Amino acid sequence: MKVTFLTCCGVDVHKSFLVATIIKTTGGIDPSYLKKRFSTFNNSILEFKQWLLDNDCHDVCMESTGKYWIPVFNLLEDEINVTIANPKWVKAVKGNKDDTKDSKWIGDLFRLGLVKGSYVPCKAIRILREYTRYRYKLVSCRSSEKNRYQNALTVCNVALDSVVSDIFGKSSTSIIDYLLEQPGTSVNHEEIASKLLKSLKSKEDAVIESIEGYQMTDSQKYRMRLIRTHMDYITAEINDIDSSIEKMISSNPDYENAVWLLCTIPGVKRDSAIAIISEIGTDMTQFCNSKRLCCWAGLTPGCNETGGKKKSVRIMRAGVYLKPALVQCAHAAVKSSKSPYYKKKYESLVKRRGKKRAIIAIARMILTAIYQMLSTGEEWNPCDLYKVDMPAPLIEKQKTKAIKQAKKLLLREGIISESQLVS
């Protein structure tokens, strides 16, 4: 095999220490190895960096072990070319591995160009990603609290969620507050009716029937108040994070322009656009092409064939944060009334492949469009949009033209005569 890096270093990173092996290929057949162990404290990492520079080593490869590689990467990235490898590409053979051998194995693979580097965005995108991922966690936590709140009502014989569309709406919240403040289990029908707003006024009897006879102890009421307080706290935290994210986006014209471009895609709103930018960045040169980006996001079907038989083609588990955002956008895009482009694509796919595969295909189309838009700076305008979203007058015009051409073909082939055509 051809040697790609004459001088490189393989690093095996752990929580409290790292083991590094510098590999130098001079003129002989076998390369020379230089091994050393360092602590993961900042001073020791800086010593490791100086050790690399003293040995004229500017190319380093280490596997992405949890979050332990990030402190090392932060201190090396300004002067050293650091390649972060997926552990499955540099995994050593079982039974013949330890910390020193692992670093040597990583270095040997990297030296021959056999290691694929993972995408690591710039510092600003990494910070934005931390905020958007934390927001995603908080939204999930709030959803869990809402489920607990609704389950607490069910346990207390309150079936209000079977009548109202939103258990956290104004009318529902007023009714639940009334139940929590009541000392007993009696219900004042007039008081309940006065709390109903808009369309719920016509469902007065159903609302009263759904809560009458409820069983709620003081301990259960206290727990529900705790859950609601926690929900309000999480909502306030989400609002603070949204403000911080908006400041980050507005302070950088490139990010603001990228978000604006993505919002031109049907189904993509500002929050989703920011989440996508925080995952893939704005520089598409990091990915060779759109197929590579879709594969990195876990939206490409697997290739698993042996003996002429094609086995599972399930998508990968990659893109833990990016994939849900794109799938959410895909669900909105296929229901969009402004632009039926993705809706018609979805309808043609769902008949053959089913709902889930069709949605994944739409998400992949959206990500492909995002790659092209961020690469060229153009708004969303797919090349086949005119064929899919064609106005009715033009459809009739093309239909008339097609009929006219068909008649000429039948006359030219002698299948029909002029008299038959007139009649």
Side-chain angles (χ1 to χ4, degrees), residues 68-133:
Y68 301 147
W69 61 272
I70 297 179
V72 183
F73 182 86
N74 289 338
L75 296 178
L76 296 184
E77 64 175 332
D78 57 341
E79 296 185 61
I80 306 293
N81 299 321
V82 184
T83 299
I84 306 299
N86 192 313
K88 71 178 181 180
W89 299 118
V90 294
K91 190 175 182 180
V93 180
K94 289 184 178 180
N96 187 30
K97 65 187 295 296
D98 55 32
D99 299 332
T100 304
K101 291 180 180 179
D102 284 348
S103 65
K104 178 178 177 295
W105 174 255
I106 294 171
D108 284 333
L109 294 177
F110 182 62
R111 168 176 166 265
L112 299 175
L114 299 178
V115 179
K116 296 179 180 179
S118 299
Y119 166 62
V120 181
C122 63
K123 186 74 172 180
I125 291 293
R126 294 205 300 269
I127 295 173
L128 179 62
R129 177 187 288 182
E130 291 173 0
Y131 274 80
T132 54
R133 289 185 176 184

Side-chain angles (χ1 to χ4, degrees), residues 355-409:
K355 293 182 179 179
K356 293 184 178 180
R357 288 188 176 93
I359 282 293
I360 291 297
I362 297 299
R364 186 164 60 251
M365 292 179 192
I366 292 175
L367 186 57
T368 302
I370 290 172
Y371 176 87
Q372 296 296 335
M373 292 165 63
L374 294 179
S375 299
T376 61
E378 298 178 1
E379 296 182 32
W380 182 80
N381 185 27
C383 57
D384 59 340
L385 175 64
Y386 201 57
K387 297 180 181 179
V388 175
D389 192 12
M390 191 180 297
L394 187 58
I395 293 175
E396 289 298 326
K397 185 178 179 181
Q398 288 196 351
K399 184 178 178 181
T400 304
K401 184 179 179 181
I403 293 173
K404 186 177 180 180
Q405 290 176 345
K407 289 178 180 179
K408 287 183 178 180
L409 177 63

Side-chain angles (χ1 to χ4, degrees), residues 18-72:
L18 62 88
V19 180
T21 303
I22 293 179
I23 305 175
K24 292 186 177 182
T25 306
T26 52
I29 299 176
D30 296 328
S32 59
Y33 297 92
L34 183 61
K35 303 175 185 179
K36 199 168 183 180
R37 174 169 168 159
F38 298 89
S39 169
T40 52
F41 294 151
N42 293 334
N43 291 336
S44 185
I45 295 175
L46 292 175
E47 291 178 9
F48 167 55
K49 179 181 179 180
Q50 189 60 45
W51 181 65
L52 292 173
L53 296 175
D54 293 341
N55 287 277
D56 196 24
C57 179
H58 295 273
D59 297 289
V60 173
C61 178
M62 56 183 172
E63 62 179 353
S64 56
T65 309
K67 298 290 184 181
Y68 301 147
W69 61 272
I70 297 179
V72 183

Side-chain angles (χ1 to χ4, degrees), residues 86 88-89 116 119 280 287-303 314-320 322-323 326 360 363-365 367-368 371:
N86 192 313
K88 71 178 181 180
W89 299 118
K116 296 179 180 179
Y119 166 62
I280 65 175
F287 306 95
C288 302
N289 47 47
S290 60
K291 291 184 179 180
R292 174 61 182 156
L293 174 59
C294 292
C295 182
W296 179 82
L299 291 171
T300 304
C303 183
R314 291 171 62 94
I315 58 176
M316 297 184 298
R317 291 184 291 179
V320 179
L322 178 60
K323 194 190 304 179
L326 290 169
I360 291 297
R364 186 164 60 251
M365 292 179 192
L367 186 57
T368 302
Y371 176 87

